[in-house]
Amino acid sequence: MEIVVSGIRPTGNLHLGNYFGAVKGFLQMQNEYNCFFFIADWHSLTTHPHPDNIRNSVKTILAEYLACGVDPEKATIYLQSDVREIPELYLYLNMNAGIGELMRTTSFKDKARQQLHIDRVNTTEGDVEKEIFNENNKHSVSAGLLTYPTLMAADIIIHKAVKVPVGKDQEQNMEMARRFARRFNSTYGVECFPEPASFYYSSKAIKVPGLDGSGKMGKSEGNAIYLIDDEKTIKKKVMKAVTDAGPTQPNSVKPEPIANLFTMMEIVSTKDTFDFFNEKYNNCEIRYGDLKKQLAEDINKFCAPIRERILDIRSDEDYLAKVARIGAEKASESAAKTLREVREIIGFRG
Ligand code: TRP
């Protein structure tokens, strides 16, 4: 079975966009591949979280994935920080990673800008570089941020994964992972690591729109409906959705805010419900208040059982600990096997 690895940054709760864009793909993949899904808690250190914050967000994200149906009997679900072989491989990969290539990655430059408090608009890339070396800037950029792509490469190739489900924003990190895998092979004249490919699962991933007029649903967009949101919260968010004065011509093309409401309805409502409101729209008889009420109800119908499972699982510390322990054992076994081979290749005791 082909090996799949994917890392999840423990940043906040899952929303509908995450569910339909990513989690649903995981549910499918766990039946078809040998999947390793992990919480990237080492990566989260680039933003220096408080220890309590780490403990909490890791448990929350674990509970939410489990509540969605990611199954510890099918996939290996673990915390990155439980697999100590990863940082050893990271060290080896860093010995052959160039600081130049790492500094040129877009996400590094973006995040370095933030860490140095450099204005995004009025500065060039050269300014970022100059500030990194400026001893008088009281802010600095961590080596951990620079080597984020090396750690990500280690996460992936430690299990010799060939498929990595990631968002489009991870393309450059994936390119680096392939490069570091190839470089290890060519440095030592071995075929140790296969090249991991990004895997979009595009036919199944659905882009969930935001309900605030345009664009997609996202945490940073501030327009997310979370799986944990209760009925009242969902209703409030949906009733606030942007609409317009309504169509004046039959069968008008829907402007984006309205199209987004219908797209959402297509995702969570029945076909009958969708067709009913679509017809009303086409007849210019649509009442957006009714549509939103129905949509809020259907979103709640979708979220309610997941929400209940999240609350149950999140409060069952023993279960969460057990899942993490079993995952850690399986992931460590796979990682240790690769690392023994790597150590021998490099010239250490295996
Ligand atoms: N960088 C990924 C993100 O920001 C998270 C991640 C870390 C990851 N390690 C990984 C994803 C390994 C896939 C494989 O979303």
Side-chain angles (χ1 to χ4, degrees), residues 106-129 131-132 137 139-141 145:
T106 341
S107 58
F108 172 72
K109 280 184 296 198
D110 283 348
K111 288 184 189 145
R113 259 202 179 88
Q114 287 165 20
Q115 294 199 354
L116 291 164
H117 296 248
I118 309 179
D119 175 14
R120 197 161 213 298
V121 189
N122 297 314
T123 50
T124 64
E125 282 173 17
D127 293 333
V128 178
E129 214 166 290
E131 280 310 307
I132 287 175
N137 192 323
H139 305 286
S140 69
V141 177
L145 187 66

Side-chain angles (χ1 to χ4, degrees), residues 292-343:
K292 287 182 187 178
K293 240 164 85 190
Q294 181 69 49
L295 185 58
E297 215 171 279
D298 291 341
I299 290 177
N300 184 57
K301 220 181 272 166
F302 174 80
C303 292
I306 299 179
R307 180 170 68 229
E308 269 169 44
R309 279 199 300 273
I310 294 174
L311 296 174
D312 276 355
I313 296 173
R314 181 65 182 85
S315 61
D316 193 345
E317 300 263 346
D318 289 348
Y319 177 65
L320 286 173
K322 187 175 147 206
V323 169
R325 182 173 44 77
I326 292 172
E329 278 167 17
K330 285 201 276 179
S332 299
E333 193 185 312
S334 154
K337 188 161 165 258
T338 305
L339 201 61
R340 268 196 301 276
E341 195 184 331
V342 166
R343 287 176 59 98

Side-chain angles (χ1 to χ4, degrees), residues 6-7 9 38 40 43 148 152 155-156 164 166 170:
S6 197
R9 275 175 310 137
F38 70 94
H43 276 111
Y148 185 111
M152 179 159 159
D155 290 331
I156 297 167
V164 182
V166 279
Q170 296 297 308

Side-chain angles (χ1 to χ4, degrees), residues 239-267:
M239 295 319 275
K240 260 192 3 210
V242 174
T243 51
D244 56 18
T248 49
Q249 299 284 330
N251 304 313
S252 308
V253 176
K254 298 183 184 83
E256 193 181 350
I258 307 305
N260 285 349
L261 281 170
F262 276 93
T263 302
M264 191 64 127
M265 195 160 243
E266 234 175 336
I267 296 171

